[in-house]
Amino acid sequence: MQNTIHYGVSSLHPASHYFDICLTIAEPDPAGQVLWLPDWIPGSYMIRDFSRHLTPLHAFTADDQPVAITAIDKSSWRCAPVEGLLRVRYRVYAWDMSVRTALLDQFGGFFNGTSLFLAVSGQEQRPVSVSIERPVGAEAWRVATTLPRDGAEALGFGDYCAANYDELIDHPVELGVFDYLRFDMDGVPHALAVTGVHRGDLARLVSDLRKICATQIAFFQDPAPFSEYLFLLRVVGSGYGGLEHRSSTSLICNRDDLPSANEPEAPSAGYTQLLGLCSHEYFHSWNVKRLKPDVMVAPNLRQPAHTELLWFFEGITSYYDDQFLLRAGVIDAPAYAALLSQQLSRYVQTPGRSVQTVSASSFDAWTKYYQQNENTPHVVVSYYIKGAIIALCLDLMLRTQGHSLDAVMRALWQRFGRSQAGICADDIQTAITDLLGSYGEVFLQQALHSTQELPWQCLLEDIGVQVKLSSAQAVTLGVRTQAGDGGVLLRVVDPAGPAAQAGLSAGDVVVALDQRRISAANWDKRLAQYAAGESVSVYAFRRDEWLACTCIIAVAAADTCTLGLSDDTDAWPRVLAVNH
């Protein structure tokens, strides 16, 4: 079928942050063509209302006669019936430094199709073509994307294409001046495009990415499920995030997280975090992009697609992302132990785990996990973190039976991932109980649908890992803080803690303790001068109003986990990371 839908992307003035879009429809609906824009982007489970960034739409016939357009709702429109070709012009405001939407200025640009491309209702399965024009004044810019080229040169502006609308919106596009490094993985071309000012050692990064990619491809014992792959990495002063796509990923990292020219053999904490992010998004090429929940096979991008399985697709991935750093040899066993310790600490430090089940967390991601406030830690458990701890428990239980979580993932991939058939909760349970029996069924019921504590500690100790829970500080007021305007901002306040009992709330700015001025820099040191049971006078502002109260210092909870290696320093990391 010929491409009867065409998108033109241009910008006359990139510094204004506007993309200019021209949509041409060769065969519009004779009853009046309906157009719509997604309200969310796959992989980020929140209604984002991308249509708010569109300027008014203007439609024309082939001879440039205006065509009336009527809004149906917040993100769909109906064009009046026309004979022959229909052309729609509009602009998209692009000024969001994230992996989810679009960005454009005089230095470069980025976009996801969900932000720019109106869907042609009833013709979503038709092939489409896209012309990406060089913006005015952007002579040095190039294009990085895995969107199939249809005449455009490699890294060049020009014509691209997609088999349908779903494919069109699953290939993010980077425009601008960037570093571009290619590498090959078993005949599959890979590339890294890095945008932003930096002095990073990209050869080191590519070397480590090669190891991670090779390890993950070998994991599934199948050829890579894509014909090419692209890491799009934007480096900024402060930022972090990633979003998976079918043959690429969009990433943001801190500039200082890139490896330096004199980076030691053992990667820094920031560089390790970056490698973990790359590992996480690359693993999504299998786990969620192809091995996916049934509701995500053909999701309605106009409304939430609720599923209780995000604990599996994000949590399992969060378990394996650091595992692959160890298996690939880019970190050693002590470094992996430290990463697992941090993950366990974050879990233990989440009071919401005793309130919300992980299946409910998955289902309510649209309204709770992705729309957090100061009360979130007390009522929400992260399906990323708890899902990863569930994966750890399953892996340890399976290994006692001579199996592993690896075997479960491969079985699900062979049955559902290859065909992208979509899986449900019963499919996951069956794959696990086939190896663990009724014990696995009981564990899953408790882990997923109750707030009962997970047996991670005893399972680790059973294989010789030394688990220590301690307090980062001896005493506490039951708050999480950050620097505030003239004092210390109470970011989170434990409802059962001393501060809350005294009447303090999240958002209050503490300016003094016991008549002495306080700051974020000396908060911990000053608090450590008190013993549990002592009282302290707290002076604060709530908005612009003065507040004074007395708090009783409490003993800090033992919520920081440290994992120790046994005398055989290779024993438990080998058990956790070996491929079965």
Side-chain angles (χ1 to χ4, degrees):
M1 180 183 296
Q2 293 183 342
N3 294 344
T4 58
I5 300 171
H6 178 78
Y7 300 86
V9 180
S10 61
S11 179
L12 294 176
H13 188 213
S16 69
H17 317 307
Y18 277 105
F19 282 108
D20 297 299
I21 311 299
C22 180
L23 166 60
T24 302
I25 308 166
E27 300 174 4
D29 186 337
Q33 183 60 61
V34 172
L35 308 171
W36 59 272
L37 193 71
D39 288 321
W40 61 280
I41 182 170
S44 185
Y45 309 110
M46 176 179 173
I47 296 296
R48 298 189 181 275
D49 292 328
F50 298 125
S51 61
R52 62 196 171 99
H53 297 300
L54 271 63
T55 62
L57 279 58
H58 300 281
F60 305 89
T61 61
D63 56 356
D64 289 329
Q65 295 302 307
V67 175
I69 298 181
T70 304
I72 299 173
D73 54 37
K74 63 180 181 179
S75 53
S76 65
W77 302 261
R78 184 185 300 277
C79 301
V82 298
E83 292 185 3
L85 175 149
L86 174 67
R87 184 173 289 115
V88 181
R89 297 183 182 276
Y90 57 98
R91 308 181 80 196
V92 178
Y93 183 67
W95 195 228
D96 178 26
M97 182 69 76
S98 80
V99 297
R100 297 175 297 268
T101 51
L103 175 75
L104 181 66
D105 63 13
Q106 64 270 39
F107 304 109
F110 168 85
F111 65 82
N112 287 289
T114 44
S115 292
L116 262 63
F117 299 132
L118 287 169
V120 181
S121 183
Q123 301 187 40
E124 292 91 345
Q125 297 306 313
R126 288 192 174 188
V128 302
S129 58
V130 181
S131 294
I132 303 177
E133 300 179 20
R134 186 183 300 275
V136 174
E139 288 75 15
W141 288 17
R142 297 188 292 175
V143 178
T145 182
T146 54
L147 191 65
R149 290 183 285 121
D150 190 28
E153 295 182 358
L155 300 180
F157 290 88
D159 295 331
Y160 293 79
C161 63
N164 50 46
Y165 185 78
D166 181 61
E167 180 182 355
L168 174 68
I169 63 173
D170 209 10
H171 293 281
V173 177
E174 183 75 33
L175 312 172
V177 177
F178 46 77
D179 295 300
Y180 192 83
L181 292 83
R182 295 181 175 89
F183 58 103
D184 187 83
M185 300 301 307
D186 295 330
V188 178
H190 284 54
L192 167 68
V194 181
T195 302
V197 179
H198 70 88
R199 292 180 57 84
D201 182 355
L202 299 188
R204 166 76 181 268
L205 177 54
V206 166
S207 175
D208 288 335
L209 286 178
R210 286 180 60 90
K211 298 172 186 175
I212 294 167
C213 294
T215 304
Q216 293 196 18
I217 293 173
F219 176 88
F220 286 100
Q221 301 174 347
D222 262 353
F226 36 74
S227 59
E228 63 175 316
Y229 194 87
L230 174 64
F231 293 92
L232 290 172
L233 175 61
R234 179 175 294 272
V235 295
V236 296
S238 178
Y240 176 84
L243 187 63
E244 70 277 1
H245 298 275
R246 64 181 60 193
S247 58
S248 62
T249 179
S250 303
L251 308 163
I252 291 179
C253 77
N254 292 341
R255 188 170 290 111
D256 293 339
D257 288 348
L258 286 175
S260 63
N262 57 356
E263 185 85 9
E265 182 178 352
S268 66
Y271 182 39
T272 299
Q273 177 179 256
L274 172 58
L275 291 175
L277 176 63
C278 294
S279 176
H280 184 99
E281 302 304 335
Y282 194 71
F283 193 66
H284 272 322
S285 301
W286 290 267
N287 193 34
V288 90
K289 293 307 296 183
R290 291 165 176 86
L291 181 62
K292 60 179 64 178
D294 49 8
V295 299
M296 300 294 179
V297 172
N300 182 345
L301 297 178
R302 306 291 311 285
Q303 62 186 34
H306 292 285
T307 175
E308 293 186 346
L309 299 181
L310 293 183
W311 72 269
F312 182 88
F313 294 99
E314 292 293 353
I316 295 284
T317 302
S318 295
Y319 172 65
Y320 272 111
D321 54 18
D322 290 339
Q323 276 267 317
F324 283 121
L325 302 188
L326 177 60
R327 298 185 188 197
V330 298
I331 64 172
D332 60 16
Y336 177 73
L339 291 174
L340 187 55
S341 297
Q342 293 169 12
Q343 196 165 52
L344 289 165
S345 295
R346 287 193 291 269
Y347 173 69
V348 174
Q349 292 164 8
T350 303
R353 74 185 192 281
S354 63
V355 177
Q356 186 188 48
T357 67
V358 74
S359 59
S361 175
S362 299
F363 192 87
D364 294 334
W366 301 83
T367 54
K368 293 187 177 180
Y369 184 79
Y370 269 92
Q371 300 193 58
Q372 299 192 12
N373 59 30
E374 65 280 353
N375 193 47
T376 296
H378 307 297
V379 295
V380 170
V381 65
S382 166
Y383 50 79
Y384 285 89
I385 297 175
K386 185 170 182 179
I389 308 307
I390 290 172
L392 169 67
C393 293
L394 284 170
D395 206 3
L396 294 174
M397 289 188 292
L398 284 161
R399 291 179 189 279
T400 63
Q401 303 298 315
H403 305 293
S404 70
L405 190 59
D406 297 9
V408 172
M409 295 303 296
R410 292 192 190 110
L412 289 171
W413 171 256
Q414 293 297 325
R415 184 177 176 190
F416 300 100
R418 282 177 164 181
S419 61
Q420 302 183 47
I423 64 176
C424 64
D426 287 345
D427 298 321
I428 296 172
Q429 178 171 302
T430 298
I432 292 171
T433 55
D434 280 349
L435 300 178
L436 272 182
S438 59
Y439 177 45
E441 184 176 355
V442 172
F443 170 78
L444 286 176
Q445 178 63 31
Q446 294 176 341
L448 305 182
H449 305 294
S450 81
T451 56
Q452 182 175 324
E453 190 56 82
L454 298 172
W456 59 270
Q457 183 170 351
C458 63
L459 288 169
L460 283 170
E461 290 174 341
D462 285 346
I463 63 168
V465 179
Q466 301 160 3
V467 179
K468 179 183 179 182
L469 288 171
S470 59
S471 303
Q473 287 188 305
V475 295
T476 184
L477 287 181
V479 296
R480 299 182 190 178
T481 64
Q482 65 185 52
D485 185 13
V488 179
L489 174 68
L490 303 186
R491 183 169 53 88
V492 176
V493 177
D494 180 356
Q501 296 302 309
L504 293 168
S505 299
D508 293 347
V509 177
V510 177
V511 296
L513 296 179
D514 279 345
Q515 292 83 45
R516 289 187 294 167
R517 187 175 179 178
I518 194 75
S519 69
N522 65 5
W523 172 269
D524 290 340
K525 183 176 180 180
R526 287 280 303 281
L527 201 61
Q529 297 172 357
Y530 294 86
E534 286 191 271
S535 62
V536 57
S537 298
V538 179
Y539 304 94
F541 280 99
R542 179 169 297 171
R543 295 178 287 276
D544 61 345
E545 297 178 2
W546 177 254
L547 175 65
C549 62
T550 299
C551 294
I552 306 300
I553 302 292
V555 176
D559 58 5
T560 299
C561 179
T562 304
L563 301 182
L565 304 181
S566 64
D567 292 337
D568 178 359
T569 56
D570 289 331
W572 73 267
R574 184 175 65 245
V575 170
L576 288 178
V578 68
N579 282 305
H580 281 246

